[in-house]
Amino acid sequence: LFIAIGIFAILMNGGLRYGVDFAGGVMVQVQFEQPIADEQVKTALGGVDLPGLTVQQVGTEDRDYMLRFSLTQTENQDLRDEVSAALKSSIPDNPSSIQRLETVGPKVGNDLRNMAIEALFYAVLLITVYISGRFEHSWFIAGAMALVLWGAVYGAGYVGFHRLWGVAIGMVITLLCCWKLKLNFALGAILALLHDVIVTLGLLTIMGVEIDLNVIAALLTLVGYSINDTIVVYDRIRENLRAIPAEGEKPTMHDVINRSVNQTLSRTIMTSATTLAACLALYILGGSVIHDFALTITLGVVFGTFSSVFVASPILMAFGNVDLYHQKANKNDDYERPGEHGIV
């Protein structure tokens, strides 16, 4: 449901809003000494050749503004001087300064966007291999599946097929393969990660945040953070499955998951709370440069914690029973832990 809501939010807002990093163009951040209206800033720059100019307020003091426009033939230094001169002549009683100026060509922006999408996909693919190998002892099957999918996505981009569609199809095939091969631990982890990324992107779209390299870095950080929480819960589920006696009455998968989640819940909440405190500090005090990064991480920590408890684990119950997982958990019973008999 949350994944559907996230996709719906993105579609209703006309898709993701790409920043200069991905869409190409020029981005100029201007700071005024006194508060000023955005329309006044846009009017002041009317005499400068800035095609497609948009003015966006940054912060809450009405002093910082982000100017975005298409590429021009003007060199960066000349462009800086023209913008500064126009603001100085039109608004002489409110001095301003240019904090940063970035230029990205459309070809470079398109390549960066494709690489960012592929990076998220490959991160999920490698996580699938790790989860399948650790919790279901299916290293070879998961590795072969990941290798084939990696080759298919890479080959699709090489022959000219749109990389975004290639990654989307590859993700769907990954989910279908995990379901068909009964790699339910990996399936739960992937659905939890998709939940985190899509819901976070949906909220960012509603809030008008542009997707740039900072946001992609935050999403990759979110993927790593969320899977860490999920692995902790999964590890406790595996331990409780191993503790089930071979004979006698066995608990249901519902009971095992409920016990495991409750045993790890305090650790999950405290870890997320301390991380959230640091993210909020960055968001409030970090300044405009890392504002979007901190916002993405803050949202991601909340939804990542939610998915580790309420998404990843119930997937196991939906696609398997305690007998299936008990057999997988005890697949390597002949393994002796270091120090198990007093010798390390």
Side-chain angles (χ1 to χ4, degrees), residues 2-213:
F2 275 104
I3 291 175
I5 292 174
I7 295 175
F8 179 75
I10 294 173
L11 294 177
M12 287 300 295
N13 283 271
L16 298 175
R17 292 183 56 193
Y18 292 111
V20 172
D21 292 337
F22 297 143
V26 182
M27 179 173 62
V28 182
Q29 183 174 342
V30 181
Q31 184 179 74
F32 294 87
E33 287 190 1
Q34 303 172 8
I36 186 174
D38 54 354
E39 285 298 327
Q40 188 176 356
V41 177
K42 193 168 186 178
T43 302
L45 296 171
V48 185
D49 182 23
L50 305 176
L53 173 65
T54 61
V55 179
Q56 180 183 358
Q57 179 183 339
V58 179
T60 58
E61 299 181 356
D62 294 337
R63 296 194 308 118
D64 296 284
Y65 287 91
M66 192 71 71
L67 315 177
R68 291 181 174 85
F69 46 90
S70 303
L71 288 172
T72 65
Q73 301 299 322
T74 311
E75 295 292 335
N76 281 0
Q77 185 57 46
D78 296 335
L79 183 62
R80 179 187 292 267
D81 295 339
E82 288 181 11
V83 171
S84 298
L87 292 175
K88 184 176 181 181
S89 61
S90 300
I91 316 174
D93 56 339
N94 191 356
S96 61
S97 61
I98 294 180
Q99 303 295 306
R100 60 171 171 157
L101 188 150
E102 299 177 6
T103 304
V104 177
K107 178 66 170 62
V108 174
N110 184 63
D111 291 342
L112 287 174
R113 183 171 66 249
N114 290 334
M115 287 188 288
I117 294 171
E118 289 185 357
L120 286 171
F121 173 70
Y122 294 144
V124 172
L125 207 58
L126 291 174
I127 286 171
T128 302
V129 176
Y130 172 74
I131 295 291
S132 300
R134 175 169 178 176
F135 293 99
E136 298 171 298
H137 310 290
S138 302
W139 289 102
F140 178 77
I141 295 175
M145 178 188 72
L147 188 61
V148 171
L149 287 171
W150 172 81
V153 172
Y154 181 81
Y158 185 78
V159 299
F161 190 72
H162 198 287
R163 291 187 180 182
L164 177 59
W165 287 109
V167 168
I169 294 173
M171 188 64 71
V172 172
I173 295 175
T174 302
L175 291 172
L176 291 175
C177 288
C178 289
W179 171 68
K180 193 67 176 178
L181 297 172
K182 293 189 180 302
L183 303 177
N184 294 338
F185 281 91
L187 180 63
I190 294 175
L191 287 175
L193 293 178
L194 287 177
H195 165 275
D196 301 340
V197 172
I198 293 176
V199 173
T200 302
L201 285 175
L203 281 176
L204 291 177
T205 303
I206 293 175
M207 299 169 69
V209 176
E210 293 186 341
I211 309 302
D212 56 13
L213 289 176

Side-chain angles (χ1 to χ4, degrees), residues 45 61 103 136 139 143 189 234-235 298 302-303 320 324:
L45 296 171
E61 299 181 356
T103 304
E136 298 171 298
W139 289 102
Y234 275 0
D235 209 42
T298 301
V302 174
F303 290 109
L324 172 66

Side-chain angles (χ1 to χ4, degrees), residues 259-271:
R259 186 185 310 119
S260 303
V261 168
N262 279 295
Q263 288 172 347
T264 57
L265 191 59
S266 59
R267 179 262 180 206
T268 300
I269 292 177
M270 291 306 298
T271 303

Side-chain angles (χ1 to χ4, degrees), residues 167-344:
V167 168
I169 294 173
M171 188 64 71
V172 172
I173 295 175
T174 302
L175 291 172
L176 291 175
C177 288
C178 289
W179 171 68
K180 193 67 176 178
L181 297 172
K182 293 189 180 302
L183 303 177
N184 294 338
F185 281 91
L187 180 63
I190 294 175
L191 287 175
L193 293 178
L194 287 177
H195 165 275
D196 301 340
V197 172
I198 293 176
V199 173
T200 302
L201 285 175
L203 281 176
L204 291 177
T205 303
I206 293 175
M207 299 169 69
V209 176
E210 293 186 341
I211 309 302
D212 56 13
L213 289 176
N214 286 332
V215 173
I216 295 298
L219 289 176
L220 288 170
T221 305
L222 161 62
V223 167
Y225 180 86
S226 179
I227 198 62
N228 177 66
D229 261 354
T230 302
I231 287 175
V232 170
V233 179
Y234 275 0
D235 209 42
R236 185 55 58 91
I237 292 175
R238 182 178 59 174
E239 291 177 5
N240 288 331
L241 286 169
R242 284 176 173 173
I244 297 175
E247 298 181 358
E249 186 178 356
K250 295 181 180 179
T252 64
M253 199 60 197
H254 173 277
D255 297 330
V256 174
I257 292 176
N258 187 59
R259 186 185 310 119
S260 303
V261 168
N262 279 295
Q263 288 172 347
T264 57
L265 191 59
S266 59
R267 179 262 180 206
T268 300
I269 292 177
M270 291 306 298
T271 303
S272 299
T274 52
T275 307
L276 190 62
C279 294
L280 287 174
L282 284 175
Y283 177 73
I284 297 172
L285 306 173
S288 59
V289 175
I290 61 171
H291 180 272
D292 293 344
F293 176 88
L295 176 61
T296 306
I297 290 290
T298 301
L299 295 174
V301 167
V302 174
F303 290 109
T305 305
F306 173 86
S307 67
S308 297
V309 176
F310 297 110
V311 177
S313 301
I315 293 296
L316 302 178
M317 189 171 60
F319 294 100
N321 54 39
V322 72
D323 292 326
L324 172 66
Y325 300 121
H326 183 256
Q327 180 183 1
K328 290 184 176 182
N330 293 284
K331 191 172 183 179
N332 287 351
D333 264 348
D334 57 339
Y335 172 74
E336 181 177 306
R337 294 176 179 273
E340 188 172 355
H341 294 96
I343 301 174
V344 180

